[in-house]
Amino acid sequence: NSLQLIEKKNIYEMIITKWKKLVKIVLERDSKSIFDAEQNAGPLEEIKFWDKRKDNLNYIYEQLVSKEVVEVKTFLTSQSSH
């Protein structure tokens, strides 16, 4: 049982580490990247970028408040107190 808890904790921590890297990539993107990629990028492309960024941030938020993430957080918090 103790071994199962340790394994579960390790798996959750690996998942969180990967997820943190993905979130960091999303957060570090800026609108300058669209102008680097497209020489003829204009205001419409920038609006599309910010609209997509809003969607990505909303999706991240939805994940953070999801039942599954709350359960993982609760589990990891309980394990760190041991």
Side-chain angles (χ1 to χ4, degrees):
N1 192 10
S2 179
L3 187 58
Q4 288 176 330
L5 289 175
I6 291 170
E7 187 174 317
K8 184 176 179 178
K9 181 179 183 229
N10 289 340
I11 290 170
Y12 282 169
E13 287 175 343
M14 285 190 309
I15 291 169
I16 288 173
T17 299
K18 288 179 184 180
W19 190 78
K20 281 173 42 178
K21 288 178 184 177
L22 292 172
V23 169
K24 183 177 180 182
I25 289 169
V26 169
L27 294 177
E28 287 180 343
R29 285 189 195 137
D30 65 4
S31 62
K32 180 182 176 293
S33 63
I34 60 171
F35 295 104
D36 291 343
E38 298 181 40
Q39 291 185 2
N40 296 326
L44 185 57
E45 285 76 21
E46 183 146 8
I47 290 170
K48 288 178 186 177
F49 168 84
W50 288 108
D51 190 49
K52 177 113 175 123
R53 182 173 176 102
K54 174 191 61 88
D55 291 343
N56 286 337
L57 293 173
N58 282 333
Y59 184 66
I60 290 169
Y61 174 77
E62 288 171 10
Q63 289 179 359
L64 284 171
V65 296
S66 72
K67 177 183 157 194
E68 295 84 5
V69 172
V70 170
E71 288 175 5
V72 169
K73 178 184 171 216
T74 302
F75 172 79
L76 290 173
T77 301
S78 73
Q79 293 304 300
S80 67
S81 65
H82 289 103

